[in-house]
Amino acid sequence: MDNQVEIHYCTQCRWMLRAAWMGQELLTTFEQELAALTLKPGTGGVFEIRANGKLIWSRKEKGRFPEITELKQLVRDVIAPEKDLGHADKKRT
Amino acid sequence: MDNQVEIHYCTQCRWMLRAAWMGQELLTTFEQELAALTLKPGTGGVFEIRANGKLIWSRKEKGRFPEITELKQLVRDVIAPEKDLGHADKKRT
């Protein structure tokens, strides 16, 4: 179980709290699957999330932050594809 | 600037919030010095903090959690020995 997620955030944009919150959400949801959650301070508006080294979110590319359920699905797809996220997996109308 | 801190905490003891809080304190205080802060879920009552790989706190060894000012001093001593922590460096009476 060596799964790891990395959140690279811009300190100038004051995104630490957001990154730390998302990190804690992931650590809670993937308590059995995640071995490490790393917060990496950056600059220049960076907000990138990697799961096992794979870029799963780039704010510059997407033009927005991920919703938390969306982020959990993206992380799940990489580290625990068989995991059911419960209500977070329901499609919204 | 490759300084990194790792907080290894016991999920069974529900220490994630504590670990994440301490992590955010360190990211705030050492915004210019810290390249990565990693939260590592563990079991069996583990609460260990490493700075650049060096064990600076073990709850089992010390019998308690670090106070936050104490933790900042320990991290500072490893990653930025010249840094003045301001009021956190004052001795308590």
Side-chain angles (χ1 to χ4, degrees), chain A residues 9 11 16-17 20 24 27-28 31 34-41, chain B residues 9 11 16-17 20 24 27-28 31 34-41:
Chain A
Y9 66 93
T11 57
M16 182 196 69
L17 296 173
Q24 289 173 85
L27 285 167
T28 301
E31 188 178 284
L34 209 47
L37 184 291
T38 300
L39 297 171
K40 294 187 71 168
Chain B
Y9 65 94
T11 57
M16 182 195 70
L17 295 172
Q24 290 173 84
L27 285 168
T28 301
E31 188 179 285
L34 208 47
L37 184 291
T38 299
L39 298 171
K40 294 187 72 168

Side-chain angles (χ1 to χ4, degrees), chain B residues 5-17:
Chain B
V5 169
E6 179 185 298
I7 304 179
H8 193 194
Y9 65 94
C10 175
T11 57
Q12 300 164 315
C13 313
R14 303 185 186 279
W15 289 340
M16 182 195 70
L17 295 172

Side-chain angles (χ1 to χ4, degrees), chain A residues 43-58:
Chain A
T43 54
V46 68
F47 195 87
E48 295 178 347
I49 304 177
R50 285 174 177 78
N52 292 347
K54 183 189 175 197
L55 184 68
I56 58 170
W57 195 271
S58 163

Side-chain angles (χ1 to χ4, degrees), chain B:
Chain B
M1 201 269 288
D2 294 325
N3 295 310
Q4 54 106 2
V5 169
E6 179 185 298
I7 304 179
H8 193 194
Y9 65 94
C10 175
T11 57
Q12 300 164 315
C13 313
R14 303 185 186 279
W15 289 340
M16 182 195 70
L17 295 172
R18 190 185 302 242
W21 166 62
M22 289 183 179
Q24 290 173 84
E25 286 276 353
L26 296 175
L27 285 168
T28 301
T29 296
F30 300 102
E31 188 179 285
Q32 301 304 318
E33 292 89 3
L34 208 47
L37 184 291
T38 299
L39 298 171
K40 294 187 72 168
T43 54
V46 69
F47 194 87
E48 295 179 347
I49 304 177
R50 284 175 177 78
N52 292 346
K54 183 190 175 197
L55 184 68
I56 58 171
W57 195 270
S58 163
R59 187 175 179 278
K60 283 186 181 162
E61 185 185 300
K62 304 272 190 178
R64 61 180 179 87
F65 291 99
E67 291 181 55
I68 195 69
T69 51
E70 188 177 23
L71 176 57
K72 289 179 183 180
Q73 289 166 8
L74 291 168
V75 169
R76 184 268 315 275
D77 291 349
V78 175
I79 74 173
E82 74 297 337
K83 188 180 176 79
D84 181 4
L85 292 173
H87 64 277
D89 258 344
K90 285 184 187 150
K91 287 190 172 57
R92 281 168 302 167
T93 52

Side-chain angles (χ1 to χ4, degrees), chain A residues 83-90:
Chain A
K83 188 181 177 78
D84 180 2
L85 292 174
H87 65 276
D89 258 343
K90 286 184 187 151

